[in-house]
Amino acid sequence: VLDAQPLPEESSGRPDDGLRPKRLDDYIGQDELKQVLGIAVQAALGRGDALDHVLLYGPPGLGKTTMALVLAEELGVTCRITSAPALERPRDIVGLLVNVQPRDLLFIDEIHRLNRVSEELLYPAMEDRRLDLTVGKGSTARTRSLELPPFTLVGATTKAGSLSSPLRDRFGLIQRLEFYGQEDLEAIVSRTADLLGVSLSAGACRRIAGCCRGTPRIANRLLRRVRDVACVQGRQNQIDEGLVSQALSLHRVDHRGLDAGDRRLLAQLDQHHDGGPVGLETLAAALGEDPTTLESVVEPFLLQQGLLVRTPRGRMLTEAARAHLREQEVA
Ligand code: ATP
């Protein structure tokens, strides 16, 4: 329930999950991003030209796909959504580019996963609006160039560092999405509650916003789980903090947004290693987890929250984590 990766029904391939804001003004938070892109959109509209290529990077679930759709709406153009793993063969990317209409927006999710051949087809397309195709084979092979209409490529990635520099350099606008603060998250939860037709008390809204790990996708998912409990109890119109607590404890989510897996890692360090330092492999073996999953899925939030530190000698528990574990025991 706290995984920021999309579930199949929430995946970015679905342009509308019914909850996405449609215009820049409805897009909550990320003020700097909105300001920069808002100006670029106005300028592009003024010139009657396509928006410059945009690279959006940051952790999953923060609104990259949503922003691409918002940009298309603001520009009054179509947004075609795809992701790098779906562009495995050169003909996939060629098909996408030859069908592009003037000023259209192409959204490629997980763009760091594009293969070399697809990436090299993109370079002239992005820079010179030209598609270089090789026709025929062997000694009869010839290169044909196809002119493309002006278009905008919006790339999204959770791993900006894995993008090759020639690709990165072809984006005119490179923007990072930040985790959301409490106030923005409360606004997101309250907006989603309106759209889902449930009525939340201020305390209930605060509680959900406080444990969604700064991520709108998790906020919306938690709200849906709270709505399930409210539905079963016939209390859709009176969701208060108590009901949210019930739903969260059903999913074993605590008030800091930690789930059972997070607490198990902290408890392991506390009870069996005296707080560390412990190497990743040892910790993973003790928890029966895969080290990569532990490092890339479980640890980042704990590190960000200051509950865990990585040192050259291994992982260590912080004082804040000890206090949190004690608090949970009492609760
Ligand atoms: P991924 O990288 O995993 O594809 P993403 O960054 O593209 O994730 P989105 O799919 O755009 O994330 O957003 C996830 C959900 O959060 C969407 O349902 C959207 O409605 C909601 N959301 C994201 N950003 C905002 C925002 N600023 N205001 C309101 N809702 C938002």
Side-chain angles (χ1 to χ4, degrees), residues 6 17 19-21 27-28 60-66 109 180 216-217:
D17 62 0
L19 302 178
R20 293 186 197 281
Y27 192 99
I28 297 161
L62 298 189
K64 297 183 284 296
T65 311
T66 306
D109 204 3
Y180 291 69
R217 175 175 290 131

Side-chain angles (χ1 to χ4, degrees), residues 3 9 15 21 43 46 62 122 127 140 146 174 178 187 206 229 238 242 244 247 249 264 272-273 298 302 304 331:
D3 189 347
E9 66 271 25
L62 298 189
L122 264 186
E127 206 158 69
T140 62
L146 201 74
I174 300 183
E178 307 287 348
R206 202 165 37 242
V229 175
Q238 35 174 316
V244 174
S249 62
R264 215 156 64 86
H272 301 285
H273 303 279
V298 187
L302 300 174
Q304 188 225 349

Side-chain angles (χ1 to χ4, degrees), residues 5-324:
Q5 296 294 341
L7 297 169
E9 66 271 25
E10 300 166 340
S11 89
S12 57
R14 286 166 51 109
D16 187 10
D17 62 0
L19 302 178
R20 293 186 197 281
K22 304 247 181 314
R23 307 298 300 243
L24 263 185
D25 283 343
D26 309 326
Y27 192 99
I28 297 161
Q30 309 287 351
D31 293 338
E32 196 185 311
L33 172 80
K34 282 193 297 193
Q35 199 184 4
V36 170
L37 294 181
I39 290 174
V41 164
Q42 270 184 35
L45 284 173
R47 287 192 303 266
D49 198 1
L51 179 70
D52 216 345
H53 305 301
V54 181
L55 178 68
L56 300 173
Y57 70 98
L62 298 189
K64 297 183 284 296
T65 311
T66 306
M67 180 50 87
L69 290 159
V70 163
L71 290 175
E73 189 75 28
E74 294 286 341
L75 292 161
V77 299
T78 307
C79 180
R80 291 162 199 272
I81 297 184
T82 186
S83 73
L87 302 173
E88 219 166 69
R89 298 160 308 175
R91 76 163 110 122
D92 298 324
I93 197 134
V94 169
L96 200 69
L97 290 170
V98 295
N99 285 313
V100 81
Q101 299 299 311
R103 304 195 303 119
D104 264 4
L105 211 134
L106 286 185
F107 176 74
I108 304 184
D109 204 3
E110 300 185 73
I111 196 158
H112 61 277
R113 292 176 64 186
L114 269 187
N115 59 41
R116 268 270 307 279
V117 180
S118 302
E119 213 179 290
E120 280 170 10
L121 279 165
L122 264 186
Y123 297 159
M126 290 174 77
E127 206 158 69
D128 307 319
R129 296 168 184 167
R130 197 187 77 229
L131 184 59
D132 293 333
L133 298 170
T134 310
V135 188
K137 274 188 180 166
S139 60
T140 62
R142 269 194 248 133
T143 311
R144 280 269 201 84
S145 279
L146 201 74
E147 207 180 308
L148 296 172
F151 72 98
T152 304
L153 178 73
V154 180
T157 179
T158 49
K159 295 183 179 159
S162 308
L163 221 63
S164 72
S165 53
L167 182 58
R168 198 172 40 236
D169 293 347
R170 283 170 169 83
F171 288 99
L173 295 153
I174 300 183
Q175 293 291 318
R176 181 189 157 84
L177 277 87
E178 307 287 348
F179 283 111
Y180 291 69
Q182 177 73 15
E183 208 177 302
D184 290 336
L185 291 165
E186 285 181 30
I188 290 172
V189 171
S190 152
R191 176 180 172 277
T192 305
D194 285 346
L195 292 170
L196 294 178
V198 293
S199 153
L200 286 182
S201 73
C205 186
R206 202 165 37 242
R207 190 77 210 288
I208 297 174
C211 57
C212 66
R213 301 176 171 231
T215 306
R217 175 175 290 131
I218 299 178
N220 289 347
R221 193 183 299 152
L222 284 177
L223 180 57
R224 284 196 165 101
R225 299 295 73 82
V226 169
R227 181 180 62 162
D228 292 346
V229 175
C231 261
V232 170
Q233 298 187 6
R235 290 173 57 191
Q236 285 221 89
N237 291 323
Q238 35 174 316
I239 299 180
D240 56 17
E241 215 174 327
L243 197 139
V244 174
S245 298
Q246 272 182 49
L248 294 179
S249 62
L250 181 71
H251 291 283
R252 303 178 68 194
V253 176
D254 66 34
H255 69 275
R256 278 191 86 139
L258 267 60
D259 64 12
D262 300 322
R263 287 190 299 273
R264 215 156 64 86
L265 183 146
L266 298 180
Q268 176 73 27
L269 268 172
D270 188 34
Q271 290 161 17
H272 301 285
H273 303 279
D274 203 19
V278 186
L280 176 67
E281 300 284 332
T282 312
L283 200 55
L287 294 167
E289 285 273 8
D290 163 49
T292 320
T293 312
L294 209 61
E295 192 171 30
S296 59
V297 180
V298 187
E299 285 188 350
F301 181 65
L302 300 174
L303 291 164
Q304 188 225 349
Q305 291 285 302
L307 297 172
L308 187 74
V309 280
R310 278 182 190 157
T311 72
R313 286 164 54 227
R315 275 61 176 164
M316 283 185 77
L317 206 63
T318 64
E319 213 25 70
R322 284 204 175 86
H324 185 68

